Amino acid sequence: MSYQGKKNIPKITSDRLLIKGGRIVNDDQSFHADIYMEDGLIKQIGDNLIVPGGVKTIEANGKMVIPGGIDIHTHFQMPYRGTTTVDDFNQGSKAALAGGTTMIVDHVIPEPGTSLMEAYDQWRQWADEKTCCDYSLHVDITHWNDSVKQEVDNLIKEKGVNSFHVYMAYKDYYQMSNSELYEVFTFLAERGGIAQVHAENGEIIAEEQARMLQMGITGPEGHVLSRPEELEAEAVFRAITIASQTNCPLYVTRVMSKSAADIISQARKKGNVVFGEPITASLGTDGTHYWSKNWAKAASFVTSPPLSPDPTTPDYLNTLLSSGDLSVTGSAHCTFSVAQKAIGKDDFTQIPEGVNGVEERMALIWDKAVTTGKMDENMFVAVTSTNAAKILNLYPRKGRIAVGSDADLVIWDTDSIRTITAKTHNSAAEYNVFEGMELRGAPLVVICQGKIVLEDGNLHATSGVGRFIPCSPFPDFAYKRVKARKQLAVLRAVPRGMYDGPVSEFSMSRGGTPSASARTSPTKQPVRNLHQSGFSLAGPPTPDDVPIRPAGRRIVVPPGGRSNITSLS
Amino acid sequence: MSGSGFQGKNSIPHLTNERLLIKGGRVVNDDQSFYADVYIEDGLIKQVGENLVVPGGVKVIEANGRMVIPGGIDVNTCLMKPFLGTQPVDDFLQGTKAAIAGGTTMIIDHVTPQPEDSLLEAFERWQEAADKRACCDYSLHVDIPQWNESVKYELELLVQEKGVNSFQVYMAYKDVYQMTDSQLYEAFSFLKQLGAVVLVHAENGDLIAQEQRKILGMGITGPEGHPLSRPEELEAEAVFRAITLGNRVNCPVYITKVMSKSAADTITQARRKGSVVFGEPITASLATDGSHYWSKNWAKAAAYVTSPPLSPDPTTPDHLHTLLACGDLQVVGSSHCAYSTSQKAVGKDDFTLIPEGTNGVEERMGFVWDKAVAMGKMDENQFVAVTSTNAAKIFNLYPRKGRIAVGSDADIVIWDPDSVKTITAKLQQSASEYNIFEGLECRGAPAMVLSQGRVVYEDGNLQTQQGTGRFIPRKPFPDYAYQRVKFRNQVKNKQGVTRGIYDGPVYDVIPTPKYITPAPSAKTSPTSHQPPPIRNLHQSNFSLSGAQIDDNVPRRSGHRIVAPPGGRSNITSLG
């Protein structure tokens, strides 16, 4: 498997490559040009390049040359109740390369209560040992307190992580309350991070699960019955509301249903900064399989949010992806063996969640969106690679074929047809959720870090060559608008004279609009509170009666006169 | 004005008060308008038609072709809502007088117990107060301030014996009234079984609390902080969530106080998808907007404070009227809850302490006429529907209330579509110093109001009698809300798939399961305390020893699903 000794690639030329006669496809335009690469970087683009002798040349013969795919959502080697997913960083990144993906972004999932930093280090170690392609990391925030805050700050500033994932589902485990979400989003907005959410209403799910089990529904169909797509849409709506309040860019992972996608596209039309990520599974298959008589097959589709039982969903999501309402595609590749899935054989809530898709992702989008005429090839590059690079702030190093960019390239064969099956896929899982699907479009040659890793159907991946690519905060793609809005949406108080009329006395028993802060009055008081009259005739209201904030605080008239804020906020 | 007894007022002789004939009017119901006379006896409508045969000596009211409509029903008033020990300045007497002056002959008031109070006791307190003082028929919603087992028992009692079929839950007021999603789910499930209508105060309380802290921290303490800390998004978000919960539980949801365009749009979209949801805009949201929160006059700005707040977007009233006219919003309330300026001034240095509530019970019908009917958005039948009939249907009062028909209560209004008056606090019935509609011109007003078959308002003169209002009990399972729900219940049965038992290898799980989505029921395994299996550190995923399979799976083992006679199920997108 190692690089040397394979076929006709001489060792000397490994760092120098020339792709001749290809059509370069970026997200903005396509053009014919040759590409010369050296030391893992693209050095020259154009016609009639002057290159050193002895350079290995690949004849593209007019085929498309696209930036290598970026799979923005994977779970390789994820620990789960004492075991790990069957695809580790080696197996997983090989599958990625075989599908034309040259960079993955994996999720670091610390157990609630444990250190984010330690988990990050652990993931880095696993990945550095084994990955065959460049990678980056998202960190999941599974609990929230001041020390987590500190760690998040460090991760952003020193460790090259700019995206953090929070959960609205998994009650009593990962789930965060609305207030916590508000605080996390506020914090990330200050530090320039991207807030990713797993959007499902965990509380209602818990109730529904209990109900399903009570009704005697224990098989995988219970999974989708207890997580109807409404709950996904509801959570997406709520996440968008919170993000908009805190002026934080939002990224919704795993858009699985039409209604969730609709909410995102509506919000975008209203101007919210929100990105939606459908995954390979939601773009390629549907949830009818949960009712399969074959338990193992049904269980292999279990993921959260679940695949929608509505068979028109994939088509719809592909349409929104083409129109730009959904921005990026991931795979959420997280594979368990049948024996692992069988932990939940008598209780669907125990089935480990995850589907495959890292290998099929690009071909599936090509087949479902480009060959059907929904999407053009430039948009294809945008949703499989460029947009992800922009969100991660890696653009133009990744996601573009340009001088100076990393030499992660794919020569795409638009006509190749193959049938997906678990027998030939690169994942270690026994089931493939796309089993039997015929896909048009496949990578012909994959170049990663300037080296050929896939050619003529043979994979030459090397374990451990993958580098960690640090992401810096405040990606323009997400934050430019946010910054501009921050300047506009400054709230101002109305300068008024002091109110000096009568003030009703009141007892601070309970009730009233709770001002959640600790500010509210420790003063227990007045004797006269049972009077019917609303008027307190007793002379000038003493500040003591009013249990408030710095008393006698006169608001100074600002130089600009009164404010005119109406609907801006 | 107050306490003016029935007798001794201008031209109505004592004798005829039980028998009345309205002649020559145009009867307007929600479905049709027609010319007919209406004969009333003992507080009921006895005959409707032309050339009625009536006893002699009946007092005759000449309608002269004017509209004769069912009296308005104001579904949302708070005439006794306590706030920090004080009560609104309009109590049941003052409030119902204002209602009648505006053409409303029935109110449904909110019983607002404090957390930990008994719902039943609160209900009785309200009923007692209203029986003594109300001048028109009334009914009561009960607010559920918190959710627990004892509340359940009281709810059952209220529904089955006390004639309450609607309960309000709160998604706002964190740490006081607010319920979590789980509690809401349980409350919805329970109320649905009882056949009650769930009223929802829809605002995201968690976010409000955060925003309030932020805004106070910025030094904004005046009433403008109120809308700034409660942007309309938070309302729309909560509406969306409430509807989702309602769909899940298959329970009708009624959104009280629809104040913003986006909340109304959310309701509209949900109705298009088939959700059973009702929306109630209030007088304030239909007639004015939130720009007044920025008024330099503190007392005026504070008078507008209510929750959800009025939207600062001045196009809101127009939009809400459009949706009301097309049927996407169904009923108009007033949420009348009037506090005096000195009561509002409790929050003079901190907007979160300003008592919430606006006036509107008197102006309600007039503004709907002025802004919707007179503008050509709505016809007179729809006007009757949104001000009276729909409310009666949703709360199971129909056709006793909300319709002019033989056998219905004689709550009737003769409506004058041409009267024009300017709203001002000086002339209002309410006792508060501010009227948030101050200076607005309003076309359309009642010329005469009959409550329980008696003339209580004529040509600007009130002839109400304190304590004549009756409590109108309401039965559960109103058809208007529950008929669809019942059918859906039958259709929506879910079935498991019948499979053979999975007998392949099962991975050994370390106990102390962490990654379980918690099934909150008590079902989850009391057996999980067993000692950890020794083999759990193996790399291999295969457990080859078959005997252990069931030991490690913490659930009833050997639970075989019997194949149902109908074969396998085909559920796809129904769920």
Side-chain angles (χ1 to χ4, degrees):
Chain A
M1 280 293 184
S2 73
Y3 183 65
Q4 289 106 329
K6 276 284 174 182
K7 305 199 92 177
N8 51 358
I9 309 156
K11 194 178 164 185
I12 317 158
T13 61
S14 66
D15 282 344
R16 295 179 176 179
L17 268 174
L18 180 68
I19 298 178
K20 262 188 99 77
R23 191 158 52 89
I24 297 176
V25 179
N26 275 326
D27 70 322
D28 54 347
Q29 60 171 345
S30 314
F31 54 95
H32 288 272
D34 299 343
I35 306 168
Y36 172 67
M37 291 163 267
E38 201 178 305
D39 299 329
L41 295 179
I42 297 172
K43 292 288 186 188
Q44 297 179 56
I45 292 176
D47 294 324
N48 310 319
L49 300 178
I50 298 162
V51 298
V55 166
K56 152 115 180 145
T57 305
I58 300 168
E59 287 293 343
N61 293 325
K63 287 205 164 53
M64 283 169 60
V65 182
I66 58 176
I70 300 176
D71 189 336
I72 196 160
H73 188 164
T74 64
H75 294 277
F76 295 155
Q77 213 165 331
M78 184 182 90
Y80 173 81
R81 292 168 82 175
T83 171
T84 54
T85 51
V86 292
D87 288 328
D88 62 6
F89 277 100
N90 181 27
Q91 196 78 34
S93 58
K94 265 162 53 181
L97 289 169
T101 295
T102 55
M103 173 169 183
I104 57 139
V105 189
D106 205 73
H107 277 269
V108 175
I109 309 180
E111 283 294 307
T114 62
S115 154
L116 265 56
M117 198 59 87
E118 281 168 24
Y120 167 86
D121 289 336
Q122 181 64 63
W123 254 260
R124 278 294 303 275
Q125 190 193 332
W126 286 335
D128 282 338
E129 273 168 20
K130 291 188 172 173
T131 31
C132 315
C133 65
D134 288 350
Y135 73 98
S136 194
L137 294 172
H138 307 293
V139 175
D140 292 13
I141 301 177
T142 48
H143 61 294
W144 185 247
N145 55 37
D146 282 338
S147 76
V148 172
K149 238 182 191 177
Q150 190 55 47
E151 289 190 314
V152 170
D153 199 34
N154 280 343
L155 284 167
I156 292 176
K157 284 187 182 141
E158 290 161 22
K159 300 294 184 178
V161 177
N162 77 352
S163 43
F164 296 85
H165 190 239
V166 292
Y167 292 85
M168 299 170 81
Y170 305 108
K171 190 181 175 191
D172 299 331
Y173 193 45
Y174 293 147
Q175 185 177 324
M176 289 204 184
S177 70
N178 292 336
S179 310
E180 286 172 326
L181 290 173
Y182 184 98
E183 285 174 20
V184 174
F185 286 13
T186 308
F187 187 77
L188 289 177
E190 280 166 17
R191 307 300 150 113
I194 305 278
Q196 299 188 313
V197 286
H198 176 116
E200 274 185 301
N201 188 317
E203 303 212 3
I204 304 183
I205 289 170
E207 300 278 346
E208 292 277 325
Q209 284 179 335
R211 192 164 70 95
M212 290 302 150
L213 289 173
Q214 208 167 18
M215 289 164 70
I217 298 177
T218 58
E221 69 277 11
H223 180 73
V224 64
L225 289 175
S226 63
R227 306 176 99 105
E229 67 176 76
E230 272 185 299
L231 304 192
E232 188 190 350
E234 187 280 318
V236 169
F237 196 103
R238 186 150 41 99
I240 289 171
T241 304
I242 300 174
S244 139
Q245 279 311 300
T246 52
N247 207 3
C248 175
L250 180 73
Y251 178 106
V252 179
T253 59
R254 297 199 243 205
V255 175
M256 305 299 279
S257 65
K258 288 160 88 165
S259 41
D262 279 340
I263 301 284
I264 292 173
S265 69
Q266 279 165 25
R268 286 172 67 90
K269 301 223 183 329
K270 286 190 202 145
N272 294 68
V273 182
V274 53
F275 306 103
E277 167 209 280
I279 65 169
T280 322
S282 61
L283 290 168
T285 182
D286 60 59
T288 53
H289 303 280
Y290 291 117
W291 280 267
S292 165
K293 289 274 194 181
N294 177 346
W295 188 92
K297 184 183 172 197
S300 70
F301 286 82
V302 170
T303 186
S304 284
L307 288 157
S308 166
D310 178 350
T312 60
T313 305
D315 196 52
Y316 192 79
L317 294 182
N318 277 299
T319 305
L320 290 189
L321 196 59
S322 312
S323 69
D325 283 347
L326 298 173
S327 315
V328 283
T329 54
S331 67
H333 189 89
C334 180
T335 44
F336 290 99
S337 68
V338 173
Q340 286 170 322
K341 290 266 184 188
I343 292 167
K345 76 188 178 61
D346 295 322
D347 178 353
F348 65 86
T349 64
Q350 311 277 327
I351 300 173
E353 295 169 352
V355 292
N356 64 300
V358 69
E359 185 173 356
E360 298 81 2
R361 187 177 67 101
M362 311 237 329
L364 197 124
I365 294 166
W366 185 269
D367 182 79
K368 301 267 175 196
V370 186
T371 61
T372 56
K374 285 178 194 280
M375 191 186 272
D376 59 26
E377 57 195 23
N378 303 98
M379 193 67 187
F380 173 74
V381 169
V383 298
T384 55
S385 177
T386 311
N387 289 350
K390 286 180 177 169
I391 289 174
L392 293 165
N393 220 357
L394 297 173
Y395 187 81
R397 176 175 177 186
K398 300 282 185 188
R400 184 167 188 87
I401 298 179
V403 174
S405 296
D406 279 0
D408 290 349
L409 302 178
V410 171
I411 300 182
W412 191 255
D413 182 354
T414 54
D415 301 320
S416 117
I417 296 179
R418 70 199 156 121
T419 306
I420 304 292
T421 163
K423 289 183 198 109
T424 58
H425 70 192
N426 282 283
S427 160
E430 299 103 320
Y431 274 88
N432 188 313
V433 295
F434 310 104
E435 187 77 33
M437 207 175 275
E438 232 183 39
L439 294 186
R440 178 185 296 262
L444 194 65
V445 177
V446 177
I447 296 162
C448 182
Q449 300 178 2
K451 300 190 182 81
I452 298 176
V453 291
L454 178 85
E455 197 180 29
D456 304 331
N458 296 313
L459 206 54
H460 321 290
T462 318
S463 192
V465 298
R467 300 165 298 182
F468 174 75
I469 311 288
C471 306
S472 50
F474 292 109
D476 274 350
F477 194 57
Y479 267 92
K480 225 170 197 165
R481 284 175 287 170
V482 169
K483 279 181 197 160
R485 287 177 197 184
K486 260 184 196 154
Q487 288 162 6
L488 276 180
V490 178
L491 306 180
R492 281 194 203 92
V494 174
R496 298 185 179 91
M498 292 271 282
Y499 172 85
D500 51 5
V503 179
S504 171
E505 298 184 10
F506 61 95
S507 64
M508 275 311 291
S509 52
R510 47 192 165 174
T513 326
S515 67
S517 66
R519 282 166 188 290
T520 28
S521 93
T523 37
K524 281 258 181 189
Q525 275 216 12
V527 195
R528 298 169 61 257
N529 59 7
L530 291 172
H531 284 205
Q532 274 295 0
S533 156
F535 279 83
S536 137
L537 295 171
T542 52
D544 307 350
D545 287 350
V546 194
I548 319 272
R549 328 201 329 114
R553 175 182 164 100
R554 179 180 290 273
I555 299 159
V556 182
V557 183
R562 80 187 196 104
S563 64
N564 284 325
I565 305 167
T566 51
S567 64
L568 251 180
S569 59
Chain B
M1 287 264 192
S2 85
S4 66
F6 180 69
Q7 291 107 329
K9 275 283 172 184
N10 49 26
S11 56
I12 310 151
H14 189 165
L15 273 180
T16 58
N17 67 351
E18 302 292 358
R19 292 177 177 180
L20 272 173
L21 180 67
I22 303 174
K23 259 186 101 73
R26 191 156 53 89
V27 175
V28 179
N29 275 327
D30 70 322
D31 52 349
Q32 57 171 347
S33 313
F34 53 94
Y35 285 92
D37 299 343
V38 181
Y39 173 64
I40 298 158
E41 199 179 308
D42 297 331
L44 295 179
I45 297 172
K46 292 289 184 185
Q47 300 178 54
V48 177
E50 291 177 59
N51 307 319
L52 301 179
V53 181
V54 298
V58 165
K59 158 139 173 117
V60 176
I61 297 164
E62 288 291 346
N64 292 329
R66 280 181 295 185
M67 287 168 60
V68 178
I69 61 175
I73 300 175
D74 189 336
V75 288
N76 187 349
T77 63
C78 298
L79 301 179
M80 217 176 111
K81 185 182 187 177
F83 177 82
L84 300 175
T86 68
Q87 304 247 326
V89 290
D90 289 338
D91 64 357
F92 276 106
L93 173 63
Q94 203 72 39
T96 51
K97 271 162 68 177
I100 285 171
T104 296
T105 55
M106 176 168 183
I107 59 159
I108 310 184
D109 201 71
H110 276 272
V111 176
T112 47
Q114 294 301 312
E116 259 128 72
D117 284 2
S118 153
L119 301 188
L120 214 52
E121 281 168 22
F123 169 79
E124 279 159 4
R125 221 164 51 235
W126 254 259
Q127 199 181 10
E128 196 190 333
D131 279 340
K132 272 189 203 148
R133 297 180 68 83
C135 311
C136 65
D137 287 350
Y138 71 96
S139 194
L140 295 171
H141 305 295
V142 176
D143 293 9
I144 307 176
Q146 62 175 4
W147 188 250
N148 55 39
E149 286 302 315
S150 69
V151 165
K152 276 187 184 173
Y153 170 75
E154 292 191 313
L155 291 177
E156 223 169 315
L157 219 61
L158 284 167
V159 169
Q160 279 156 12
E161 289 169 21
K162 298 295 183 182
V164 178
N165 76 355
S166 47
F167 299 91
Q168 167 143 317
V169 295
Y170 290 87
M171 299 172 81
Y173 304 111
K174 192 178 179 192
D175 299 332
V176 185
Y177 301 133
Q178 186 177 329
M179 289 192 195
T180 64
D181 289 356
S182 304
Q183 287 170 332
L184 290 170
Y185 185 97
E186 282 174 26
F188 281 34
S189 310
F190 188 77
L191 291 172
K192 177 200 161 189
Q193 283 170 8
L194 295 177
V197 178
V198 182
L199 316 181
V200 181
H201 178 114
E203 274 186 301
N204 189 319
D206 286 341
L207 297 192
I208 290 170
Q210 296 278 2
E211 292 282 329
Q212 285 180 336
R213 201 172 313 154
K214 186 174 96 185
I215 300 244
L216 284 174
M218 291 165 72
I220 299 179
T221 58
E224 69 276 13
H226 185 71
L228 289 176
S229 62
R230 305 177 100 105
E232 68 174 78
E233 272 187 301
L234 305 194
E235 188 190 351
E237 187 280 317
V239 168
F240 195 95
R241 188 148 42 99
I243 292 171
T244 305
L245 279 156
N247 288 347
R248 270 305 84 214
V249 179
N250 193 16
C251 166
V253 173
Y254 178 102
I255 309 290
T256 58
K257 300 202 234 187
V258 174
M259 306 298 280
S260 66
K261 287 160 90 166
S262 44
D265 287 341
T266 306
I267 294 173
T268 304
Q269 282 163 21
R271 289 178 64 88
R272 301 256 178 290
K273 288 188 196 148
S275 306
V276 184
V277 55
F278 307 105
E280 168 208 286
I282 65 171
T283 322
S285 61
L286 288 169
T288 183
D289 61 59
S291 53
H292 303 280
Y293 291 117
W294 280 266
S295 165
K296 291 269 193 181
N297 177 346
W298 188 92
K300 183 183 174 197
Y304 288 82
V305 169
T306 186
S307 285
L310 287 158
S311 166
D313 178 351
T315 61
T316 305
D318 200 48
H319 188 75
L320 294 182
H321 276 291
T322 306
L323 294 186
L324 198 59
C326 76
D328 281 346
L329 300 173
Q330 291 73 37
V331 276
V332 182
S334 68
S335 192
H336 188 88
C337 184
Y339 290 102
S340 68
T341 299
S342 65
Q343 285 173 320
K344 290 263 182 188
V346 164
K348 75 187 178 63
D349 295 321
D350 179 352
F351 65 86
T352 65
L353 293 173
I354 300 173
E356 295 171 352
T358 55
N359 63 302
V361 68
E362 184 175 352
E363 299 82 1
R364 188 178 67 102
M365 303 201 31
F367 274 121
V368 176
W369 186 271
D370 179 73
K371 303 230 174 226
V373 187
M375 303 291 284
K377 282 182 197 265
M378 191 187 273
D379 61 25
E380 56 193 22
N381 303 100
Q382 180 72 3
F383 172 72
V384 168
V386 299
T387 55
S388 176
T389 312
N390 288 350
K393 285 179 177 169
I394 291 172
F395 296 109
N396 226 355
L397 295 163
Y398 190 79
R400 178 175 177 183
K401 302 284 185 189
R403 187 168 186 83
I404 295 180
V406 175
S408 297
D409 279 359
D411 290 352
I412 293 175
V413 172
I414 298 179
W415 189 258
D416 179 1
D418 299 319
S419 116
V420 177
K421 63 173 174 178
T422 305
I423 308 285
T424 165
K426 287 180 201 116
L427 298 176
Q428 70 185 3
Q429 294 294 329
S430 163
S432 61
E433 300 99 323
Y434 270 89
N435 188 314
I436 58 168
F437 311 109
E438 188 76 34
L440 289 179
E441 225 174 56
C442 181
R443 177 187 298 264
M448 180 184 281
V449 179
L450 279 74
S451 169
Q452 302 177 9
R454 277 176 293 202
V455 177
V456 289
Y457 177 85
E458 193 177 4
D459 299 330
N461 297 314
L462 273 175
Q463 297 144 11
T464 55
Q465 202 170 11
Q466 179 173 346
T468 51
R470 298 164 300 180
F471 174 74
I472 311 288
R474 295 172 290 136
K475 291 205 177 71
F477 292 109
D479 272 351
Y480 195 64
Y482 268 94
Q483 207 157 52
R484 282 177 286 172
V485 167
K486 279 180 197 160
F487 280 106
R488 287 179 196 185
N489 271 343
Q490 292 163 11
V491 178
K492 265 195 164 178
N493 261 333
K494 284 171 180 148
Q495 279 168 314
V497 174
T498 50
R499 300 184 178 90
I501 288 187
Y502 173 84
D503 53 2
V506 178
Y507 180 79
D508 288 347
V509 185
I510 304 175
T512 65
K514 279 216 167 148
Y515 182 79
I516 314 173
T517 326
S521 68
K523 282 182 174 296
T524 27
S525 88
T527 51
S528 62
H529 305 300
Q530 63 200 9
I534 308 164
R535 301 168 60 256
N536 60 8
L537 291 172
H538 284 204
Q539 273 297 358
S540 155
N541 300 321
F542 280 83
S543 142
L544 294 171
S545 59
Q548 290 194 343
I549 290 173
D550 291 324
D551 300 345
N552 299 313
V553 181
R555 279 192 57 76
R556 298 165 291 172
S557 57
H559 184 79
R560 179 183 288 273
I561 301 160
V562 182
R568 81 189 196 102
S569 64
N570 283 325
I571 307 168
T572 50
S573 65
L574 253 181

